[in-house]
């Protein structure tokens, strides 16, 4: 299902003349490996405060179209 979703979004983005796709994924979630297999690259890290001293510790990922 994930592959189908990415392909659908990628096709819509290309039809819209977008140059890239971007997403955030938690650094401790191994799904970032799936995104890498689909052509995404880690372009940065982001720590987003979500309250009470907790953070979303994400990779910023991008795929050029």
């Amino acid at each position: 299902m994930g592959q189908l979703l990415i392909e659908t979004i990628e096709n819509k983005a290309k039809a819209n003349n977008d140059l890239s796709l971007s997403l955030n994924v938690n650094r401790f979630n191994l799904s970032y490996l799936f995104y890498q297999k689909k052509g995404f690259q880690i372009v940065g890290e982001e720590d987003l405060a979500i309250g009470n001293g907790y953070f979303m510790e994400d990779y910023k990922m991008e795929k050029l179209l």
Side-chain angles (χ1 to χ4, degrees):
M1 290 304 292
Q3 180 172 328
L4 180 60
L5 179 59
I6 288 174
E7 289 172 358
T8 300
I9 292 169
E10 185 174 332
N11 290 335
K12 289 184 181 286
K14 286 179 181 177
N16 199 38
N17 296 315
D18 292 327
L19 301 176
S20 66
L21 298 176
S22 62
L23 59 85
N24 279 28
V25 62
N26 187 278
R27 290 193 299 262
F28 306 104
N29 183 337
L30 294 179
S31 66
Y32 79 90
L33 298 170
F34 167 78
Y35 294 120
Q36 285 180 322
K37 288 181 183 177
K38 296 299 162 197
F40 286 84
Q41 295 181 342
I42 296 171
V43 296
E45 295 182 1
E46 187 170 39
D47 294 333
L48 303 170
I50 59 173
N52 296 321
Y54 293 99
F55 290 87
M56 294 293 295
E57 300 171 320
D58 290 351
Y59 285 132
K60 296 176 74 168
M61 301 187 79
E62 183 174 85
K63 179 179 182 176
L64 300 178
L65 299 176

